[in-house]
Amino acid sequence: MTLATFTSATTRFLGLGSILSLAVSGCSNQLADNSEMAPAAVIAALEAAARGEPHPDDLHPDTARSGKAMTPTQAAFDVQHYTLSLKVMPETRSIDGRVDVRFDALEALDTVQLDLDPRLSIKEVTLGDTALSVRREAGSFFVTLPSTLAAGASATISVAYGGKPHVALAPPWFGGFVWSEVDGTPWFATAVQGDGCDLWWPCKDNFADKPDEGIDLAISAPRGVKIASVGVLRSVDEGDDGFDTWHWSSRHPYSGYAVAINGGPYELVEDEYTGVSGSRYPIQFWALKENADKARDLVNSDVIPDLEFFERLLGPYPWGDEKAGFVETPHLGMEHQTINGYGEQYKRGRYGYDWLLHHELAHEWFGNVMTHARPEDAWLHEGYGAYMQAVYAEETVGAMGYFDHMYGAYTNNEHCLPVANPEVMDAGEAFDNRDIYTKGSWMLHSLRRYIGEDAFWAGTRRLIYDTAEPWSLSYPIQFRYRSTEDFIAIMSDEAGEDVSWIVETYLREAGMPELITSRDEGKLSLAWEVPGDRDFPMPVEVSIDGERVITDMSSGPQSLAVPEGARVLIDPDSKILRTLPIIGDCSEQTEQQIQDNIERFTRMAKDYGWQRD
Ligand SMILES: [Zn+2]
């Protein structure tokens, strides 16, 4: 392993620290026997992950890179549909199956380039009855078509493959297949956001090409293991080999990482919800049998109120023609579309609601129906995704809940790299930067305060639905790609003025503006010092003995008359993201932090019962 890889892995862990530190407060150890240590192989893997050190199961570097720029060969076709037929064999931690990829040629096409972890073998690739030649290179494979496919024509190739998929080192952050069991029954999941779909199935591992017409899955697992996946459950076939096949199907496009399979001794907890547009849709919560009552309570205490919150603020739940779905996972959680991974173990957070469930559900709007095409725009998922918990706390427990969230986000900012960084080349790098969550949230806060409630929320709805009035949209709801530039254009339009200076100062620079203040001889002087010398005419509210004045900073430094001895508060409502003497830094992890993280992962390994060879 090179130094570069080492550094990257170390940073990645830091990047996830803010979410992790929220996640692990007060672990409850409900699932596994607390006295039992996690297996030595599991401990060794999570220690390697926490330290950013090499591990024998590390991914091929090319496989680990998800969402990198498409090659010309990849850009020459557009995936329309995937069909996954996969047998999962927990006993040997292996998989065996076939993926049919239907695609349109965007130009004359001789070769199809797809991605698959080299540790999985490709048995054959066929087009109809014709076997095709396959060349594997790094994390990709190249299939030669029998004849040139004309631009506009479509074809379906079928890839038979199998083997032992990568076992996650410390999911969901260091992802892959997650293996566990409950009272002897297998319990497993996939979680591959940072590394991509190619860890367990042949796919085009790129956010910018979702399968336009959706995905069908036929997942076989040992009888007694129920499979929860994306879209709608069509049927379950009993096999005569002791395996049942679960047929799930969705007509919606998916990012590769948003497709997941989960298996375990589940009980389905169901409900129905009438959305803001008047449509009724099913809520499904696939809980471990022993936790079905807790899941029922969680649906009532959180799922329904969360849906009500998001629908009222944003608009209709995007996938109401299929389901709002959750599944109990042997890892903390992930925003898998229509089947959100849930591993918070039914704990009540410090704000009286389940932040993990709220966060993953937020991603149905910020991530799944509105999606970044470029890794540099990952803040659109995570900045908004994290900000929604603050907004929810504002509604449920008031300003103290909101600012408690925001203070945590503020002090977790690292300021190592810009939030929207064009130099970021893949999802792993994007998620290395913790500030996509924290500073992303704070930019949204400051913009909201600057342009006002109506403009901010109308702009947010336009970002998602392309209309500020989505209330009566009928299903299916169209997904769309969005970029930082789209965000600026929409928010500027809603604000009635160009707000690019706010967004770009906060997102395109690693540092933050600092308000330089001094008080002398009855005067308060204010001046912005801005990274990159950007234009930043942010007005500053000042309270002088309780009287508020808003200082226009558009013509540069200002001074205000303040009586001697007056009580002066600058930005008394904390509207503006700026440098204060409480910010974090991007220094290397200390040994103590590494130890703390190992302890957290070890606790998770026990709670979730992680297994590996
Ligand atoms: Zn998230």
Side-chain angles (χ1 to χ4, degrees):
M1 178 173 273
T2 63
L3 183 65
T5 318
F6 177 89
T7 309
S8 165
T10 307
T11 322
R12 167 181 298 197
F13 187 77
L14 279 173
L16 296 156
S18 57
I19 288 297
L20 185 62
S21 62
L22 272 171
V24 295
S25 51
C27 233
S28 65
N29 297 317
Q30 291 164 343
L31 294 167
D33 180 357
N34 206 9
S35 62
E36 226 171 75
M37 277 299 291
V42 169
I43 301 291
L46 64 83
E47 283 191 1
R51 292 185 181 282
E53 286 174 355
H55 184 273
D57 290 347
D58 278 339
L59 291 164
H60 187 290
D62 192 43
T63 301
R65 299 189 64 207
S66 184
K68 55 188 183 284
M70 281 191 215
T71 63
T73 315
Q74 285 176 316
F77 68 98
D78 179 15
V79 176
Q80 297 299 307
H81 188 268
Y82 291 110
T83 303
L84 268 77
S85 309
L86 197 62
K87 186 172 186 177
V88 181
M89 294 160 283
E91 206 167 318
T92 53
R93 295 189 193 119
S94 58
I95 56 176
D96 186 52
R98 178 177 287 280
V99 171
D100 300 333
V101 188
R102 178 155 56 81
F103 55 90
D104 291 348
L106 299 177
E107 51 192 77
L109 196 66
D110 295 307
T111 305
V112 177
Q113 181 187 355
L114 293 166
D115 302 304
L116 185 67
D117 186 343
R119 85 190 60 210
L120 297 171
S121 62
I122 294 176
K123 294 167 185 170
E124 61 166 3
V125 181
T126 50
L127 191 154
D129 293 334
T130 310
L132 307 179
S133 78
V134 183
R135 177 172 57 86
R136 301 195 76 165
E137 193 181 303
S140 286
F141 62 98
F142 298 80
V143 179
T144 307
L145 297 174
S147 58
T148 302
L149 195 64
S154 70
T156 301
I157 59 171
S158 182
V159 183
Y161 76 107
K164 292 179 77 137
H166 175 72
V167 179
L169 299 184
W173 302 282
F174 300 84
F177 248 86
V178 189
W179 300 102
S180 179
E181 59 179 38
V182 179
D183 298 332
T185 302
W187 184 29
F188 59 84
T190 58
V192 294
Q193 180 176 38
D195 306 303
C197 44
D198 53 341
L199 264 63
W200 63 280
W201 54 286
C203 58
K204 189 200 268 190
D205 182 18
N206 198 292
F207 318 113
D209 188 4
K210 297 189 184 192
D212 302 59
E213 293 171 31
I215 184 162
D216 286 351
L217 300 101
I219 307 299
S220 304
R223 190 151 304 137
V225 174
K226 295 181 179 175
I227 299 294
S229 189
V230 300
V232 175
L233 180 61
R234 303 283 179 203
S235 60
V236 184
D237 295 339
E238 280 190 22
D240 46 21
D241 57 352
F243 280 65
D244 296 336
T245 301
W246 296 67
H247 297 270
W248 288 90
S249 157
S250 177
R251 297 282 69 87
H252 295 291
Y254 281 75
S255 296
Y257 75 82
V259 175
I261 54 173
N262 308 271
Y266 290 132
E267 184 169 323
L268 174 59
V269 171
E270 287 186 282
D271 211 322
E272 255 196 336
Y273 185 73
T274 304
V276 69
S277 63
S279 303
R280 275 184 89 67
Y281 54 85
I283 295 170
Q284 291 191 354
F285 200 117
W286 295 78
L288 291 178
K289 261 183 219 149
E290 65 203 56
N291 292 330
D293 288 344
K294 291 178 187 169
R296 163 70 55 198
D297 289 346
L298 190 63
V299 167
N300 290 322
S301 67
D302 287 75
V303 174
I304 289 171
D306 288 356
L307 285 168
E308 190 278 328
F309 164 81
F310 287 120
E311 290 213 340
R312 172 167 44 78
L313 204 59
L314 306 174
Y317 171 72
W319 322 115
D321 47 350
E322 294 188 343
K323 73 176 183 297
F326 306 86
V327 59
E328 191 167 349
T329 47
H331 61 81
L332 183 62
M334 184 53 69
E335 60 264 33
H336 298 137
Q337 191 171 316
T338 68
I339 191 71
N340 283 286
Y342 174 80
E344 181 63 352
Q345 304 177 340
Y346 310 95
K347 288 177 291 211
R348 308 307 301 166
R350 56 197 294 244
Y351 306 103
Y353 74 95
D354 191 316
W355 76 273
L356 189 276
L357 187 124
H358 194 275
H359 181 84
E360 305 309 347
L361 187 56
H363 281 308
E364 295 287 22
W365 284 266
F366 304 107
N368 292 344
V369 75
M370 184 275 286
T371 304
H372 66 71
R374 305 177 306 199
E376 70 176 88
D377 299 318
W379 73 270
L380 285 168
H381 297 197
E382 297 301 352
Y384 262 117
Y387 186 54
M388 286 299 116
Q389 285 82 72
V391 177
Y392 191 62
E394 184 176 30
E395 290 199 5
T396 52
V397 296
M400 68 174 173
Y402 179 82
F403 277 108
D404 191 69
H405 270 92
M406 297 310 289
Y407 191 79
Y410 188 91
T411 54
N412 270 319
N413 276 323
E414 290 180 315
H415 312 290
C416 298
L417 291 168
V419 168
N421 181 5
E423 284 169 29
V424 156
M425 293 301 162
D426 60 53
E429 279 184 32
F431 283 86
D432 278 355
N433 185 359
R434 172 200 295 181
D435 291 5
I436 66 171
Y437 294 83
T438 52
K439 200 174 171 190
S441 295
W442 261 95
M443 183 281 290
L444 294 169
H445 164 79
S446 292
L447 181 70
R448 179 183 169 196
R449 292 294 191 258
Y450 181 79
I451 69 177
E453 290 294 291
D454 290 352
F456 178 80
W457 293 112
T460 299
R461 288 190 290 273
R462 283 176 60 185
L463 193 71
I464 299 167
Y465 302 99
D466 222 22
T467 169
E469 300 290 332
W471 317 112
S472 58
L473 281 180
S474 55
Y475 296 115
I477 288 174
Q478 177 66 37
F479 99 95
R480 50 187 43 82
Y481 288 117
R482 292 299 197 187
S483 65
T484 303
E485 291 82 353
D486 295 332
F487 176 82
I488 290 171
I490 290 170
M491 288 299 181
S492 295
D493 189 48
E494 286 296 330
E497 64 174 289
D498 180 6
V499 295
S500 59
W501 58 273
I502 300 181
V503 181
E504 296 201 325
T505 301
Y506 286 140
L507 301 190
R508 300 289 190 195
E509 299 289 340
M512 290 194 295
E514 184 170 3
L515 188 64
I516 309 297
T517 64
S518 62
R519 198 170 158 183
D520 195 24
E521 294 178 353
K523 272 192 172 173
L524 173 70
S525 302
L526 304 171
W528 281 116
E529 199 174 278
V530 186
D533 277 332
R534 286 175 181 268
D535 194 26
F536 189 73
M538 182 66 89
V540 178
E541 190 166 7
V542 180
S543 163
I544 303 166
D545 277 337
E547 196 153 319
R548 301 279 182 109
V549 287
I550 293 173
T551 314
D552 181 345
M553 302 291 288
S554 58
S555 54
Q558 300 294 316
S559 60
L560 282 73
V562 289
E564 210 68 39
R567 182 165 188 256
V568 173
L569 302 175
I570 294 166
D571 188 25
D573 296 329
S574 301
K575 293 178 180 173
I576 306 171
L577 173 60
R578 62 191 171 107
T579 296
L580 294 169
I582 50 170
I583 58 170
D585 59 49
C586 59
S587 56
E588 294 269 305
Q589 286 191 103
T590 63
E591 182 57 29
Q592 185 56 49
Q593 286 169 325
I594 290 171
Q595 285 305 328
D596 290 348
N597 290 328
I598 289 172
E599 213 172 284
R600 289 166 183 168
F601 281 157
T602 304
R603 207 155 49 208
M604 288 183 169
K606 282 201 297 180
D607 275 4
Y608 299 124
W610 291 343
Q611 300 173 339
R612 65 186 313 121
D613 293 338

